[in-house]
Amino acid sequence: MRFDLLTIFPEFFTGPFDFGIIRRARQQGMIEILIHDLRSFTFDKHHVVDDRPFGGGDGMVLKPEPIFHAVEALIAENRRDDDSKRAAVVLLSPQGRLFRQSEAAVFARDYSRMILICGRYEGVDERVAEHLVTDEISIGDYVLTGGEIPAMAIVDAVTRLLPNVLGSETSAEHDSFSAHSSGLLDYPHYTRPADFRGWRVPEVLISGHHGEVAKWRQRAALHKTIKMRPDLLEKASMTDEEDDLKNLITE
Ligand code: SAM
Protein backbone atom coordinates (compact mmCIF):
# COMPACT_ATOMS: atom_id res chain seq x y z
CA MET A 1 0.00 0.00 0.00
CA ARG A 2 1.33 3.41 -0.90
CA PHE A 3 0.16 6.49 0.98
CA ASP A 4 0.76 9.98 -0.45
CA LEU A 5 0.04 12.79 2.00
CA LEU A 6 -0.47 16.31 0.69
CA THR A 7 0.05 19.05 3.24
CA ILE A 8 1.29 22.59 3.71
CA PHE A 9 3.11 21.40 6.87
CA PRO A 10 5.27 18.43 5.84
CA GLU A 11 7.26 18.62 9.08
CA PHE A 12 4.09 17.73 10.94
CA PHE A 13 4.72 14.11 9.99
CA THR A 14 8.20 13.91 11.48
CA GLY A 15 7.87 11.20 14.08
CA PRO A 16 4.36 9.73 14.02
CA PHE A 17 5.20 7.07 11.46
CA ASP A 18 8.55 6.17 13.03
CA PHE A 19 7.35 3.96 15.85
CA GLY A 20 6.01 0.49 16.53
CA ILE A 21 3.96 -1.37 14.00
CA ILE A 22 3.91 1.42 11.41
CA ARG A 23 7.68 1.73 11.51
CA ARG A 24 8.07 -2.03 11.11
CA ALA A 25 5.58 -2.09 8.20
CA ARG A 26 7.59 0.65 6.49
CA GLN A 27 10.91 -1.06 7.10
CA GLN A 28 9.59 -4.35 5.74
CA GLY A 29 8.27 -2.62 2.62
CA MET A 30 4.62 -3.43 3.33
CA ILE A 31 3.72 0.23 3.14
CA GLU A 32 5.29 3.34 1.69
CA ILE A 33 4.46 6.77 3.10
CA LEU A 34 5.36 9.80 1.01
CA ILE A 35 4.85 13.32 2.29
CA HIS A 36 4.38 16.08 -0.28
CA ASP A 37 4.56 19.81 0.31
CA LEU A 38 1.59 21.44 -1.40
CA ARG A 39 3.72 24.54 -2.00
CA SER A 40 5.94 22.64 -4.40
CA PHE A 41 2.93 22.31 -6.70
CA THR A 42 2.52 26.08 -7.08
CA PHE A 43 3.90 28.03 -10.02
CA ASP A 44 4.00 31.57 -8.63
CA LYS A 45 7.05 33.22 -7.08
CA HIS A 46 5.66 33.18 -3.54
CA HIS A 47 4.22 29.64 -3.58
CA VAL A 48 0.80 30.82 -2.53
CA VAL A 49 -1.55 27.99 -1.54
CA ASP A 50 -4.44 29.96 -0.02
CA ASP A 51 -6.65 32.95 -0.74
CA ARG A 52 -9.59 34.88 0.69
CA PRO A 53 -13.05 33.37 0.39
CA PHE A 54 -15.38 34.61 -2.33
CA GLY A 55 -18.39 36.25 -0.74
CA GLY A 56 -16.37 37.52 2.20
CA GLY A 57 -16.04 36.08 5.66
CA ASP A 58 -13.26 35.03 7.99
CA GLY A 59 -10.13 33.11 7.27
CA MET A 60 -8.45 31.74 4.20
CA VAL A 61 -9.28 28.87 1.88
CA LEU A 62 -6.83 26.46 0.23
CA LYS A 63 -6.75 27.15 -3.51
CA PRO A 64 -7.75 24.44 -5.97
CA GLU A 65 -4.86 24.69 -8.48
CA PRO A 66 -2.00 23.32 -6.34
CA ILE A 67 -4.17 20.47 -5.10
CA PHE A 68 -5.34 19.48 -8.59
CA HIS A 69 -1.75 19.72 -9.92
CA ALA A 70 -0.41 17.64 -7.08
CA VAL A 71 -2.98 14.85 -7.32
CA GLU A 72 -2.80 14.69 -11.11
CA ALA A 73 1.01 14.58 -11.02
CA LEU A 74 1.05 11.89 -8.34
CA ILE A 75 -1.42 9.70 -10.18
CA ALA A 76 0.44 10.07 -13.50
CA GLU A 77 3.81 9.41 -11.88
CA ASN A 78 2.91 6.06 -10.49
CA ARG A 79 0.26 4.48 -12.65
CA ARG A 80 0.75 0.75 -12.60
CA ASP A 81 -1.19 -0.92 -15.38
CA ASP A 82 -0.84 -4.34 -13.81
CA ASP A 83 -2.36 -3.14 -10.57
CA SER A 84 -5.83 -4.57 -10.14
CA LYS A 85 -6.41 -2.69 -6.90
CA ARG A 86 -7.74 0.81 -6.73
CA ALA A 87 -6.40 4.25 -5.80
CA ALA A 88 -8.40 6.45 -3.44
CA VAL A 89 -8.09 10.24 -3.45
CA VAL A 90 -9.31 11.33 -0.04
CA LEU A 91 -10.13 14.81 1.16
CA LEU A 92 -10.00 15.04 4.95
CA SER A 93 -12.94 17.17 6.02
CA PRO A 94 -15.24 17.43 9.03
CA GLN A 95 -18.06 17.45 6.48
CA GLY A 96 -17.10 14.06 5.06
CA ARG A 97 -18.67 10.71 5.86
CA LEU A 98 -17.52 9.24 9.14
CA PHE A 99 -14.48 6.98 9.01
CA ARG A 100 -15.16 3.61 10.64
CA GLN A 101 -13.33 0.33 11.14
CA SER A 102 -15.38 -1.27 8.35
CA GLU A 103 -14.14 1.41 5.99
CA ALA A 104 -10.53 0.94 7.08
CA ALA A 105 -10.97 -2.74 6.27
CA VAL A 106 -12.23 -1.96 2.76
CA PHE A 107 -9.28 0.35 2.04
CA ALA A 108 -6.87 -2.29 3.35
CA ARG A 109 -8.45 -5.04 1.24
CA ASP A 110 -9.32 -3.36 -2.06
CA TYR A 111 -6.89 -0.48 -2.49
CA SER A 112 -3.17 -0.28 -3.20
CA ARG A 113 -2.88 3.46 -2.97
CA MET A 114 -4.34 6.32 -0.96
CA ILE A 115 -3.71 10.00 -1.66
CA LEU A 116 -4.74 12.02 1.39
CA ILE A 117 -5.35 15.77 1.10
CA CYS A 118 -4.93 17.69 4.37
CA GLY A 119 -6.94 20.88 4.54
CA ARG A 120 -6.14 23.93 6.70
CA TYR A 121 -7.66 27.29 7.63
CA GLU A 122 -11.37 27.52 6.70
CA GLY A 123 -10.97 24.47 4.51
CA VAL A 124 -10.45 23.62 0.86
CA ASP A 125 -12.03 25.12 -2.27
CA GLU A 126 -15.20 23.06 -2.77
CA ARG A 127 -14.25 22.15 -6.36
CA VAL A 128 -11.73 19.71 -4.91
CA ALA A 129 -14.56 17.79 -3.21
CA GLU A 130 -16.79 18.12 -6.27
CA HIS A 131 -14.39 17.23 -9.07
CA LEU A 132 -11.17 15.67 -7.80
CA VAL A 133 -11.56 13.30 -4.90
CA THR A 134 -13.08 9.85 -4.69
CA ASP A 135 -13.87 10.17 -0.97
CA GLU A 136 -14.48 12.96 1.51
CA ILE A 137 -13.84 11.62 4.98
CA SER A 138 -14.22 12.89 8.54
CA ILE A 139 -12.68 11.24 11.58
CA GLY A 140 -15.36 12.51 13.93
CA ASP A 141 -17.85 15.21 14.71
CA TYR A 142 -15.38 17.80 15.92
CA VAL A 143 -13.23 20.34 14.12
CA LEU A 144 -9.43 20.17 14.14
CA THR A 145 -7.07 22.84 12.86
CA GLY A 146 -5.91 20.70 9.93
CA GLY A 147 -6.21 17.40 8.11
CA GLU A 148 -2.80 16.11 9.20
CA ILE A 149 -4.00 14.34 12.36
CA PRO A 150 -6.98 12.77 10.52
CA ALA A 151 -4.57 11.61 7.78
CA MET A 152 -2.33 10.00 10.41
CA ALA A 153 -5.33 8.27 11.94
CA ILE A 154 -6.37 6.83 8.58
CA VAL A 155 -2.85 5.67 7.63
CA ASP A 156 -2.55 3.98 11.01
CA ALA A 157 -5.98 2.33 11.00
CA VAL A 158 -5.61 1.02 7.43
CA THR A 159 -2.02 -0.15 7.84
CA ARG A 160 -2.71 -2.36 10.84
CA LEU A 161 -5.35 -4.23 8.82
CA LEU A 162 -3.02 -5.03 5.91
CA PRO A 163 -2.02 -8.69 5.66
CA ASN A 164 0.93 -9.66 7.90
CA VAL A 165 1.33 -6.20 9.43
CA LEU A 166 0.17 -7.24 12.90
CA GLY A 167 1.97 -10.07 14.60
CA SER A 168 -0.34 -12.86 15.75
CA GLU A 169 0.01 -11.55 19.28
CA THR A 170 -1.82 -8.41 18.27
CA SER A 171 -4.34 -9.81 15.84
CA ALA A 172 -7.10 -7.38 14.86
CA GLU A 173 -9.75 -10.11 14.82
CA HIS A 174 -11.26 -9.31 18.19
CA ASP A 175 -10.79 -5.57 18.01
CA SER A 176 -13.71 -3.31 18.75
CA PHE A 177 -15.95 -2.69 15.72
CA SER A 178 -14.46 -5.55 13.70
CA ALA A 179 -16.68 -7.88 11.70
CA HIS A 180 -15.32 -10.76 13.79
CA SER A 181 -16.53 -9.19 17.02
CA SER A 182 -20.01 -8.72 15.48
CA GLY A 183 -19.34 -4.98 15.44
CA LEU A 184 -19.33 -4.83 19.25
CA LEU A 185 -16.58 -3.46 21.48
CA ASP A 186 -13.61 -5.62 22.43
CA TYR A 187 -13.74 -7.47 25.77
CA PRO A 188 -11.82 -5.95 28.73
CA HIS A 189 -8.16 -6.88 29.09
CA TYR A 190 -6.21 -7.48 32.31
CA THR A 191 -2.58 -8.32 33.07
CA ARG A 192 -0.42 -8.90 36.16
CA PRO A 193 -0.67 -8.26 39.04
CA ALA A 194 -3.85 -10.24 39.67
CA ASP A 195 -4.48 -8.02 42.66
CA PHE A 196 -3.78 -4.32 42.24
CA ARG A 197 -4.70 -2.09 45.20
CA GLY A 198 -7.32 -4.61 46.20
CA TRP A 199 -8.95 -4.71 42.75
CA ARG A 200 -8.78 -8.35 41.68
CA VAL A 201 -9.01 -9.46 38.09
CA PRO A 202 -12.07 -11.66 37.37
CA GLU A 203 -11.27 -15.13 38.80
CA VAL A 204 -12.32 -16.91 35.62
CA LEU A 205 -9.38 -15.35 33.75
CA ILE A 206 -6.88 -17.10 36.02
CA SER A 207 -8.85 -20.35 36.19
CA GLY A 208 -7.22 -21.89 33.11
CA HIS A 209 -10.64 -22.94 31.70
CA HIS A 210 -10.46 -21.74 28.12
CA GLY A 211 -14.14 -22.38 27.45
CA GLU A 212 -15.19 -20.40 30.50
CA VAL A 213 -12.78 -17.60 29.59
CA ALA A 214 -14.29 -17.39 26.10
CA LYS A 215 -17.82 -17.25 27.54
CA TRP A 216 -16.81 -14.56 30.04
CA ARG A 217 -15.22 -12.48 27.30
CA GLN A 218 -18.29 -12.70 25.09
CA ARG A 219 -20.47 -11.57 27.97
CA ALA A 220 -18.05 -8.86 29.08
CA ALA A 221 -17.82 -7.45 25.55
CA LEU A 222 -21.60 -7.22 25.44
CA HIS A 223 -21.73 -5.60 28.87
CA LYS A 224 -19.16 -3.01 27.88
CA THR A 225 -20.96 -2.26 24.61
CA ILE A 226 -24.31 -1.84 26.37
CA LYS A 227 -22.70 0.49 28.90
CA MET A 228 -20.45 2.56 26.63
CA ARG A 229 -21.89 2.34 23.11
CA PRO A 230 -25.50 1.11 23.10
CA ASP A 231 -25.85 2.60 19.60
CA LEU A 232 -23.60 -0.18 18.27
CA LEU A 233 -26.11 -2.85 19.30
CA GLU A 234 -28.60 -1.72 16.69
CA LYS A 235 -26.16 -2.43 13.88
CA ALA A 236 -24.40 -5.42 15.43
CA SER A 237 -24.68 -8.75 13.64
CA MET A 238 -24.91 -10.90 16.74
CA THR A 239 -25.27 -14.64 16.97
CA ASP A 240 -28.49 -16.04 18.52
CA GLU A 241 -26.45 -16.79 21.63
CA GLU A 242 -25.23 -13.20 21.85
CA ASP A 243 -28.73 -11.95 21.25
CA ASP A 244 -30.08 -14.08 24.12
CA LEU A 245 -27.24 -12.83 26.32
CA LYS A 246 -28.05 -9.24 25.43
CA ASN A 247 -31.69 -9.76 26.38
CA LEU A 248 -30.61 -11.32 29.67
CA ILE A 249 -28.26 -8.42 30.47
CA THR A 250 -30.65 -5.66 29.51
CA GLU A 251 -33.70 -7.16 31.23
N1 SAM B 1 -14.64 25.41 8.13
C1 SAM B 1 -14.59 23.99 8.16
C2 SAM B 1 -15.91 23.43 8.67
O1 SAM B 1 -16.44 24.01 9.61
O2 SAM B 1 -16.38 22.40 8.15
C3 SAM B 1 -13.49 23.49 9.10
C4 SAM B 1 -12.13 23.61 8.54
S1 SAM B 1 -10.91 22.91 9.58
C5 SAM B 1 -10.56 24.22 10.66
C6 SAM B 1 -9.47 22.85 8.57
C7 SAM B 1 -9.16 21.50 7.98
O3 SAM B 1 -8.93 20.56 9.01
C8 SAM B 1 -10.22 20.87 7.11
O4 SAM B 1 -10.16 21.35 5.79
C9 SAM B 1 -9.89 19.40 7.19
O5 SAM B 1 -8.89 19.03 6.25
C10 SAM B 1 -9.30 19.27 8.58
N2 SAM B 1 -10.25 18.72 9.57
C11 SAM B 1 -10.72 19.34 10.67
N3 SAM B 1 -11.54 18.55 11.37
C12 SAM B 1 -11.59 17.37 10.72
C13 SAM B 1 -12.27 16.14 10.95
N4 SAM B 1 -13.07 15.97 11.99
N5 SAM B 1 -12.07 15.12 10.08
C14 SAM B 1 -11.28 15.29 9.01
N6 SAM B 1 -10.62 16.43 8.73
C15 SAM B 1 -10.77 17.46 9.57
Side-chain angles (χ1 to χ4, degrees):
M1 176 75 109
R2 168 171 163 169
F3 298 98
D4 290 282
L5 279 62
L6 266 178
T7 173
I8 61 166
F9 295 127
E11 293 81 7
F12 209 99
F13 295 98
T14 310
F17 299 129
D18 296 334
F19 299 92
I21 285 162
I22 304 296
R23 174 191 161 101
R24 193 175 66 195
R26 291 179 82 183
Q27 283 176 337
Q28 294 181 350
M30 293 166 175
I31 59 165
E32 199 180 353
I33 302 176
L34 302 169
I35 314 294
H36 308 278
D37 187 346
L38 201 53
R39 289 181 206 283
S40 58
F41 295 93
T42 53
F43 298 106
D44 62 299
K45 199 166 78 189
H46 300 291
H47 301 292
V48 176
V49 289
D50 58 335
D51 209 333
R52 290 189 304 277
F54 277 125
D58 291 335
M60 300 296 270
V61 176
L62 286 184
K63 289 160 67 63
E65 306 97 307
I67 299 177
F68 272 77
H69 284 147
V71 170
E72 285 161 1
L74 287 172
I75 287 176
E77 168 205 310
N78 202 267
R79 194 185 294 279
R80 284 188 289 171
D81 293 334
D82 61 329
D83 202 341
S84 57
K85 292 194 173 181
R86 291 187 276 168
V89 181
V90 177
L91 174 65
L92 284 322
S93 159
Q95 301 170 14
R97 68 173 190 274
L98 276 183
F99 186 63
R100 299 178 190 284
Q101 186 72 1
S102 52
E103 190 135 5
V106 170
F107 283 124
R109 192 190 61 212
D110 297 342
Y111 288 74
S112 57
R113 184 138 187 227
M114 292 184 81
I115 298 175
L116 298 154
I117 303 165
C118 307
R120 278 272 155 183
Y121 314 126
E122 282 307 311
V124 175
D125 186 290
E126 190 65 16
R127 285 164 289 191
V128 169
E130 287 170 347
H131 303 293
L132 183 65
V133 303
T134 57
D135 301 86
E136 189 176 353
I137 293 182
S138 164
I139 61 157
D141 289 344
Y142 41 82
V143 178
L144 300 164
T145 54
E148 287 76 9
I149 290 172
M152 285 174 199
I154 290 176
V155 170
D156 194 289
V158 172
T159 297
R160 65 191 291 287
L161 296 181
L162 291 170
N164 306 320
V165 165
L166 293 184
S168 56
E169 80 282 5
T170 43
S171 158
E173 266 187 12
H174 295 285
D175 278 344
S176 302
F177 319 113
S178 70
H180 226 85
S181 65
S182 314
L184 302 178
L185 298 180
D186 193 6
Y187 53 76
H189 300 270
Y190 295 90
T191 185
R192 274 178 275 274
D195 188 326
F196 173 64
R197 298 186 175 178
W199 299 305
R200 281 195 64 73
V201 307
E203 286 305 321
V204 59
L205 297 181
I206 37 185
S207 68
H209 294 301
H210 297 307
E212 291 303 311
V213 169
K215 268 195 224 154
W216 180 88
R217 285 179 167 166
Q218 189 186 24
R219 205 184 169 92
L222 255 175
H223 258 294
K224 186 99 188 201
T225 308
I226 290 166
K227 185 171 161 212
M228 305 304 293
R229 291 292 305 274
D231 57 300
L232 292 178
L233 290 173
E234 285 158 34
K235 286 171 256 140
S237 52
M238 291 187 288
T239 59
D240 289 347
E241 202 184 339
E242 284 170 330
D243 221 27
D244 292 345
L245 253 177
K246 183 195 90 182
N247 294 334
L248 253 178
I249 294 168
T250 48
E251 259 165 24

